[in-house]
Amino acid sequence: MSLDAVTVAICTHNRLDLLRRTIASIHAAQRPAGCRGEILVVANACSDGTEQWLTDMAVNGAGPHGWSFRHVREPALGKAHALNRLRTLETAELIAFVDDDHRVDPGYLRSLVEAAERHPESGLFCGRILPDWDGREPAWVHDTGPYRLYPLPVPRFDLGDEERPLGVDGPCPGGGNLAVRREVLRRVGPFRSDFGPVGHNLGGAEDIEWVRRALAQGERLQYVPGMVQYHYVDPDRFRLAYLMKKSFERSASVVRLERSMPSDGTAPPRFMWIKVFDRLVRLVVSAADASRRRFYAMRLAGALGEIHGYRLRRRDESLSAIGKGKE
């Protein structure tokens, strides 16, 4: 099964400098012979000059190597709204999602298209996301000892060098390096706007929820190691306040999506509160050691995030029960 075109889709909000970098990397990527390329940007409530720059780009019609280019505006702030706007547009059969703070590896598109041709039974494809280290990051980021920070505030998804299918049991990729066949994008349904980031806040999981829903509906997902994207490393992400907030939001999203965890009570389970108390004590006694203090501050924020996620999940279940009662 040969593919004659691919749409590279970028949802962006007020990141013009990074967006330019992303698009330049796509132009520089190798494209399989006979496969047309299109860059499609959804400008999500942008106010930093992005839309004017995109308009100027569109006037030229095509970029280097024959890339066509277009953009649309989505005024409702929130990445899920931008993704759902994308679902309504005409695209190539294969849609490759690239975040606006990523750059693609030169072999990215070739690896994706070749995998899509090898696996016509698969409707979704994912690859590696690696930090784009530039030497400005603090040394402790690369620690491998007992108090190393995980997950790092820079996304990383790397399942090794072997191509393989992924199932409902995971691991589950996010949407930063995901490709979807057009009919699958439409068939699975919209992205949930109550999950995704709004602007540049630290909410998320709208992509993971959608991928899990797709797999639950029987869609197939293929991990392709040659699909490599590099995530921009923002130095501000290594401040303790950011680390704690990200840990809180990520843990809340994970628990909110976790259906195997019991939720038969209105209050968070006792073990969650025990974990908070344990992390707090460890943080207090670690005050003199910067590595331990940083580690347990993140763990405490994560434990509090789990409680928040539990409460959000209980709310979701209550709303779902009310909705079913009205049917």
Side-chain angles (χ1 to χ4, degrees), residues 45-307:
C46 293
S47 58
D48 66 341
T50 293
E51 289 194 49
Q52 183 58 55
W53 184 79
L54 291 171
T55 299
D56 294 342
M57 284 280 290
V59 168
N60 296 326
H65 312 298
W67 281 96
S68 62
F69 182 89
R70 61 185 167 122
H71 77 282
V72 297
R73 181 173 183 267
E74 172 48 59
L77 183 60
K79 187 175 180 181
H81 294 300
L83 290 167
N84 288 332
R85 177 78 169 91
L86 181 69
R87 293 182 65 250
T88 69
L89 303 175
E90 288 300 319
T91 66
E93 177 191 342
L94 185 64
I95 306 166
F97 292 97
V98 180
D99 276 1
D100 62 358
D101 54 357
H102 287 196
R103 66 177 179 89
V104 304
D105 185 81
Y108 167 79
L109 286 166
R110 176 175 46 78
S111 295
L112 166 59
V113 170
E114 290 174 355
E117 291 176 343
R118 282 196 307 274
H119 300 283
E121 76 286 355
S122 293
L124 298 94
F125 303 86
C126 67
R128 303 185 193 194
I129 298 177
L130 304 176
D132 204 358
W133 302 122
D134 61 7
R136 292 182 297 163
E137 68 276 5
W140 55 257
V141 169
H142 302 292
D143 284 351
T144 58
Y147 300 109
R148 69 188 186 280
L149 293 191
Y150 61 88
L152 286 173
V154 181
R156 185 185 186 101
F157 188 83
D158 186 357
L159 303 183
D161 297 331
E162 183 178 346
E163 184 174 302
R164 60 189 174 100
L166 303 178
V168 292
D169 296 328
C172 184
N177 188 1
L178 185 73
V180 184
R181 296 192 193 272
R182 180 180 56 213
E183 66 271 19
V184 173
L185 182 64
R186 295 174 178 173
R187 184 164 60 234
V188 173
F191 293 80
R192 287 180 54 175
S193 60
D194 56 330
F195 270 104
V198 178
H200 294 153
N201 72 10
L202 300 183
E206 86 296 332
D207 44 7
I208 294 176
E209 189 278 334
W210 190 91
V211 171
R212 288 186 177 182
R213 192 176 355 129
L215 295 175
Q217 293 177 16
E219 304 293 350
R220 297 185 180 184
L221 169 64
Q222 193 76 19
Y223 169 70
V224 183
M227 283 176 60
V228 180
Q229 295 186 23
Y230 302 95
H231 193 291
Y232 171 69
V233 176
D234 184 349
D236 287 342
R237 292 192 177 203
F238 301 109
R239 297 175 180 175
L240 184 58
Y242 182 99
L243 293 170
M244 293 181 66
K245 187 173 183 180
K246 183 65 176 177
S247 183
F248 177 92
E249 294 288 354
R250 180 185 182 279
S251 296
S253 296
V254 168
V255 171
R256 188 180 180 189
L257 286 172
E258 183 52 67
R259 298 305 175 192
S260 64
M261 182 179 292
S263 60
D264 50 359
T266 56
R270 183 168 175 265
F271 76 85
M272 287 188 171
W273 291 110
I274 292 174
K275 184 184 289 188
V276 168
F277 179 75
D278 174 77
R279 301 299 189 267
L280 179 59
V281 170
R282 291 175 184 270
L283 174 61
V284 170
V285 300
S286 301
D289 186 312
S291 295
R292 293 179 61 188
R293 183 172 66 248
R294 191 184 301 115
F295 177 86
Y296 285 117
M298 279 189 67
R299 301 281 78 77
L300 173 61
L304 291 169
E306 290 177 1
I307 290 175

